[in-house]
Amino acid sequence: MRNGIFRFLFFYNFLLLTGVAAFAQIDVSRLSKELKIAKEDNRKVLVLDSMALYYRDANPDTALKFIRQGLELAQGIKYIYGEAKLRSVLSQLYGHWGNRDDAYKESLHALQLFRAVNSDTGIASAYNQLSVVEAKMGNYDSAMYYILESKKIFEKYHDTDDLVHTYINLGNIAEEDVHDDKALDKALQYFEIALTYAKDNKNSRLSVLNNIGIIYGKKGELEKSLTYFNTVLTETDTITNFDIVRINALINCVVAYDNLGDHAKAFKYLGEELKLARSRHMLEEEVIGLINLGAMQSNTDTAKGLQSLRDALALSIKAGNKSLQLKVYDNMVDVYTDHKDFKNAFLIQGLQYRLSSQVFNMEKAKQISNLQASYELEKSNIKVDQLKMINHKNETQKTLLLIFVCFITTALLIIIFFYRQTILLNSQLKVQKEELKQLNTIKDKLFSVIGHDLRSPVGSIVSLLSIWDTGSLSEEEKKEVIYHLKSQTRATLETLDKLLNWGQSQIKGITIFQTEFAPKRLIKDSLELLMEQALKKNITITDNTPPDIQVFADRLQFDFVIRNLLSNAIKFTHIGGAIEISTDNDAVKDFTVFKIKDNGIGINEGRHKTIFEAIGNSTDGTANEKGTNVGLKLCKEYVVTNGGQIWVESVEGQGAIFCFTIKNKAT
């Protein structure tokens, strides 16, 4: 239970990093005076943005009031840069409230506006904010892409304050790489770099110290972590502008002392954290404190512990934060289970399951919504470029008219030049029109395939639930229904994930982060995930991959290719069949050839070249498993992006061998 709390606090800190450096440096009284006397509307918009940033954490409702006031003014005077800055703060505000969907959309909107006015620093800030939102949604590859893009721009302009946030976010993303044994050490390196940039900014420096303390806590060096947390507490003891940083340090001290067995100190710091959170009306921070309080109280007084958790539940519902609600349910189940009150544990677990299902459905809906938002963003960017060209064309015409009045000869030459420019612009417009048409085709194709391939398994789930609802099933029949429900749900989730990955790669392009790694571990992980599927068909899988080989590729993309090809092999292998995984380092120079061989139904020779291209036409498996060819299409795109090739060797009725190549090392 305690490890879970410590992990949760890390995510809590992650969302508070963007823009934190500016908070302590803002003189709100001076801004209030400037807002009253400012004559230019542009300046008023920027002042309102600064005031919204000041109140963002301490008083979100006041911050929202200033944002709305600023947006109305900025849109009225068509001040695009000011609107972009306000939408960036609005995205941070939505993130603070746990509204990830709106946070994502506002970040994209801000990015589009910054691009329209060619503001490099604004674009970098938008990338930084998008990385925070993507990481909160678990999309760490996208988060890493955005943060690296922002890092390039901030380094170009030597922007030390924003480089602090960038390296903090890099550390937090690196720490989440579950496949990297040195993830914590890499995160610590990023935080130490952030600390060098933050030496002249107290608020940023304290935030970095908090993060370093968390890493040492996760490494098990609790005494060392406490030195960092206590440094933060000492430096914020008499200052009121550092409430968020101080609350983080207090909660982290609670976890550290509780794990060290010093419960008296843990309760002392917890009391101070709750008092501060309540005085500042910070609902989510109060909920986190109450969760910790309930977890500790339940060790000695179950009734008190449960009451604290009930209070936390009520506040999390009031705050509308479903993630916190799930955390409360998780702790309540632990308490009831520890005290053998299985009846109440079962009831709470049912509530937790229903809420988890709601959150799952919401997150999947948001992924589709964000995919559509990405498409709309690309379409809007094309429109922005068209408007720029039209504006340029109009300005050129005005200039030509003035020159024509004064200098006839010069005007004729400029008209000829303008004519050539117009031809070029028309050519560019045609190209962009074709790109827009292609994006629209991709969108239509994606949603058509989603509608076709998800209708059948979702319909089966509804039918199975209707059978269950009759109440007339025997225990054996219930087990059979549950088995089929799990199978259909797994198939639906797998299909949806593949379609979303494909759609995102078509609209955003494939992001690649290549490293050198041993593939044996990833293959082992994939086998564990698919073992239940293989056992149900009594299929034997043999892994002959040498443990000492190293390859150079994107780890996540390699993992996807292996898992998808293994899943397909199981799908098309008969009951009692066999699958073999092997490698060949001699067939292709500087490459390792991976082979996944099965003795299943095989593939007609006419489909060998098209099997990696078609979408929506998939053969049923030997146990009538449904699917789509999106997985194989993504496999080819990922392998080619990493510099390799993929092909199939098969005779119909005699099984198949899927082969692909990966580089042995960086070249």
Side-chain angles (χ1 to χ4, degrees):
M1 188 188 309
R2 290 168 185 166
N3 288 339
I5 295 172
F6 205 100
R7 181 173 178 79
F8 178 77
L9 293 178
F10 173 76
F11 282 105
Y12 170 77
N13 285 344
F14 186 88
L15 284 179
L16 297 175
L17 296 175
T18 300
V20 73
F23 177 76
Q25 299 174 352
I26 295 174
D27 184 349
V28 72
S29 60
R30 179 186 61 79
L31 289 175
S32 298
K33 293 177 182 177
E34 186 173 353
L35 184 62
K36 293 178 181 178
I37 64 175
K39 296 180 180 179
E40 297 180 358
D41 288 338
N42 284 14
R43 182 56 193 164
K44 288 182 180 179
V45 170
L46 295 178
V47 172
L48 288 167
D49 172 71
S50 296
M51 295 183 75
L53 186 62
Y54 178 87
Y55 286 106
R56 181 196 60 196
D57 297 318
N59 194 331
D61 290 334
T62 300
L64 183 60
K65 182 188 72 173
F66 286 123
I67 290 171
R68 287 174 175 169
Q69 186 179 345
L71 284 174
E72 183 179 357
L73 182 58
Q75 291 170 343
I77 62 174
K78 302 187 185 306
Y79 185 27
I80 297 176
Y81 177 78
E83 181 183 353
K85 286 180 66 65
L86 286 161
R87 291 198 179 279
S88 182
V89 181
L90 183 58
S91 172
Q92 297 168 30
L93 203 60
Y94 280 133
H96 180 77
W97 285 331
N99 189 342
R100 301 172 191 171
D101 192 27
D102 286 336
Y104 185 87
K105 289 179 180 178
E106 289 299 333
S107 295
L108 284 177
H109 199 164
L111 177 60
Q112 173 192 343
L113 295 173
F114 281 129
R115 283 176 175 171
V117 295
N118 297 318
S119 172
D120 284 349
T121 54
I123 291 170
S125 297
Y127 279 143
N128 211 337
Q129 179 63 17
L130 277 167
S131 74
V132 173
V133 179
E134 291 278 21
K136 182 63 178 176
M137 293 191 292
N139 303 328
Y140 294 104
D141 54 341
S142 297
M144 183 63 79
Y145 167 78
Y146 285 125
I147 200 64
L148 290 175
E149 288 297 308
S150 70
K151 178 174 171 287
K152 293 177 186 176
I153 299 174
F154 290 140
E155 287 178 338
K156 175 182 176 182
Y157 292 96
H158 306 289
D159 190 334
T160 56
D161 283 342
D162 283 312
L163 278 171
V164 173
H165 311 148
T166 301
Y167 276 103
I168 291 175
N169 288 346
L170 278 169
N172 287 326
I173 295 170
E175 191 273 337
E176 284 305 297
D177 188 354
V178 296
H179 298 292
D180 191 345
D181 295 330
K182 297 182 179 180
L184 294 177
D185 293 329
K186 289 181 179 178
L188 193 58
Q189 290 175 4
Y190 284 126
F191 291 143
E192 287 173 348
I193 295 173
L195 194 60
T196 62
Y197 282 112
K199 60 184 179 181
D200 296 325
N201 188 304
K202 184 173 183 178
N203 206 345
S204 294
R205 185 173 59 83
L206 294 178
S207 295
V208 177
L209 291 175
N210 241 331
N211 280 276
I212 293 176
I214 290 173
I215 294 299
Y216 280 117
K218 291 186 176 184
K219 289 165 71 74
E221 299 178 38
L222 296 172
E223 295 287 353
K224 193 168 185 178
S225 72
L226 281 168
T227 61
Y228 289 92
F229 300 147
N230 284 319
T231 298
V232 175
L233 292 178
T234 300
E235 294 194 30
T236 60
D237 188 39
T238 59
I239 305 174
T240 59
N241 282 349
F242 295 83
D243 295 335
I244 291 294
V245 178
R246 185 170 182 81
I247 282 177
N248 288 344
L250 288 168
I251 295 175
N252 294 334
C253 283
V254 170
V255 177
Y257 280 122
D258 191 45
N259 277 277
L260 286 170
D262 193 342
H263 306 304
K265 283 189 176 179
F267 275 109
K268 172 180 174 291
Y269 285 105
L270 186 54
E272 183 179 348
E273 186 273 334
L274 282 169
K275 181 180 178 182
L276 181 57
R278 286 164 178 163
S279 68
R280 298 294 186 269
H281 305 290
M282 297 178 179
L283 289 182
E284 294 185 357
E285 288 73 19
E286 185 178 351
V287 171
I288 294 168
L290 287 170
I291 291 174
N292 282 279
L293 180 62
M296 291 191 295
Q297 286 177 330
S298 63
N299 292 325
T300 56
D301 190 330
T302 305
K304 281 187 178 180
L306 287 171
Q307 185 56 51
S308 295
L309 291 174
R310 291 188 192 100
D311 293 340
L313 180 61
L315 285 177
S316 64
I317 293 173
K318 181 179 179 181
N321 190 319
K322 289 184 172 56
S323 297
L324 285 178
Q325 291 179 52
L326 288 171
K327 192 67 182 177
V328 176
Y329 282 143
D330 189 52
N331 279 267
M332 292 179 78
V333 169
D334 284 350
V335 173
Y336 280 125
T337 302
D338 289 343
H339 292 82
K340 302 188 184 306
D341 187 351
F342 299 113
K343 179 180 179 181
N344 280 319
F346 179 79
L347 290 173
I348 297 299
Q349 207 160 39
L351 295 173
Q352 184 183 30
Y353 174 78
R354 283 196 290 273
L355 183 59
S356 296
S357 298
Q358 292 175 14
V359 172
F360 173 83
N361 291 333
M362 289 171 60
E363 289 300 323
K364 284 301 175 186
K366 286 175 182 177
Q367 286 186 33
I368 294 175
S369 175
N370 290 338
L371 188 61
Q372 177 69 10
S374 298
Y375 163 74
E376 293 296 337
L377 176 63
E378 293 300 325
K379 186 169 69 174
S380 297
N381 287 338
I382 292 174
K383 289 183 179 179
V384 168
D385 291 338
Q386 290 173 337
L387 289 173
K388 285 183 179 179
M389 286 187 286
I390 291 171
N391 183 61
H392 173 71
K393 183 177 179 180
N394 291 336
E395 291 298 321
T396 305
Q397 287 176 332
K398 291 179 182 178
T399 304
L400 287 172
L401 183 59
L402 291 173
I403 295 174
F404 180 77
V405 173
C406 300
F407 308 100
I408 298 297
T409 304
T410 306
L412 288 173
L413 294 174
I414 294 176
I415 289 172
I416 294 172
F417 171 78
F418 175 75
Y419 175 74
R420 291 178 177 176
Q421 286 293 99
T422 302
I423 293 175
L424 178 61
L425 289 173
N426 287 335
S427 175
Q428 292 175 350
L429 284 172
K430 287 180 181 179
V431 172
Q432 291 180 342
K433 183 179 179 180
E434 186 61 32
E435 291 175 351
L436 182 59
K437 182 179 178 181
Q438 184 177 358
L439 285 172
N440 195 52
T441 301
I442 291 170
K443 181 206 72 171
D444 291 340
K445 196 172 191 179
L446 174 63
F447 287 110
S448 174
V449 173
I450 288 176
H452 177 272
D453 290 304
L454 294 186
R455 184 180 298 275
S456 177
V458 171
S460 298
I461 292 171
V462 173
S463 298
L464 289 168
L465 289 174
S466 298
I467 294 171
W468 180 279
D469 197 44
T470 62
S472 60
L473 299 177
S474 65
E475 288 302 315
E476 287 299 317
E477 289 172 333
K478 288 181 179 179
K479 290 180 181 178
E480 185 70 13
V481 170
I482 290 174
Y483 168 78
H484 287 295
L485 275 172
K486 287 173 64 179
S487 177
Q488 292 294 340
T489 303
R490 187 183 297 110
T492 304
L493 180 60
E494 181 179 347
T495 299
L496 183 58
D497 283 340
K498 288 178 181 178
L499 290 169
L500 288 171
N501 282 335
W502 175 78
Q504 192 171 37
S505 72
Q506 294 301 301
I507 292 176
K508 288 185 177 179
I510 297 176
T511 304
I512 182 170
F513 301 100
Q514 293 180 311
T515 58
E516 190 169 293
F517 61 91
K520 183 75 173 180
R521 177 180 173 183
L522 294 183
I523 294 174
K524 180 181 178 183
D525 290 345
S526 293
L527 286 173
E528 290 176 356
L529 287 172
L530 298 170
M531 189 55 64
E532 181 181 356
Q533 183 181 343
L535 289 174
K536 285 186 173 94
K537 297 177 74 172
N538 196 26
I539 294 172
T540 302
I541 303 178
T542 305
D543 179 17
N544 294 324
T545 307
D548 57 342
I549 65 169
Q550 295 280 324
V551 297
F552 183 77
D554 185 300
R555 183 193 295 266
L556 294 177
Q557 293 173 6
F558 177 88
D559 183 55
F560 177 93
V561 173
I562 284 291
R563 188 166 64 253
N564 192 77
L565 294 180
L566 278 173
S567 178
N568 282 352
I570 295 170
K571 176 180 175 182
F572 295 109
T573 298
H574 296 290
I575 294 174
I579 297 171
E580 179 184 353
I581 308 169
S582 62
T583 60
D584 187 346
N585 283 333
D586 300 322
V588 182
K589 185 179 179 182
D590 297 329
F591 284 80
T592 297
V593 181
F594 290 82
K595 300 181 179 180
I596 298 179
K597 177 182 179 183
D598 65 67
N599 59 358
I601 63 177
I603 301 167
N604 184 286
E605 185 176 356
R607 294 189 64 211
H608 286 191
K609 293 184 178 180
T610 62
I611 195 169
F612 297 100
E613 302 295 338
I615 295 179
N617 268 327
S618 176
T619 306
D620 290 349
T622 56
N624 295 320
E625 300 100 324
K626 305 294 181 183
T628 172
N629 276 3
V630 171
L632 286 177
K633 184 172 179 64
L634 268 176
C635 284
K636 179 179 180 180
E637 291 178 5
Y638 286 166
V639 170
V640 172
T641 301
N642 281 276
Q645 295 181 330
I646 187 169
W647 68 93
V648 62
E649 302 170 358
S650 176
V651 176
E652 189 171 10
Q654 299 181 23
I657 306 175
F658 278 84
C659 311
F660 66 95
T661 59
I662 294 294
K663 294 178 184 177
N664 292 331
K665 60 182 178 179
T667 56

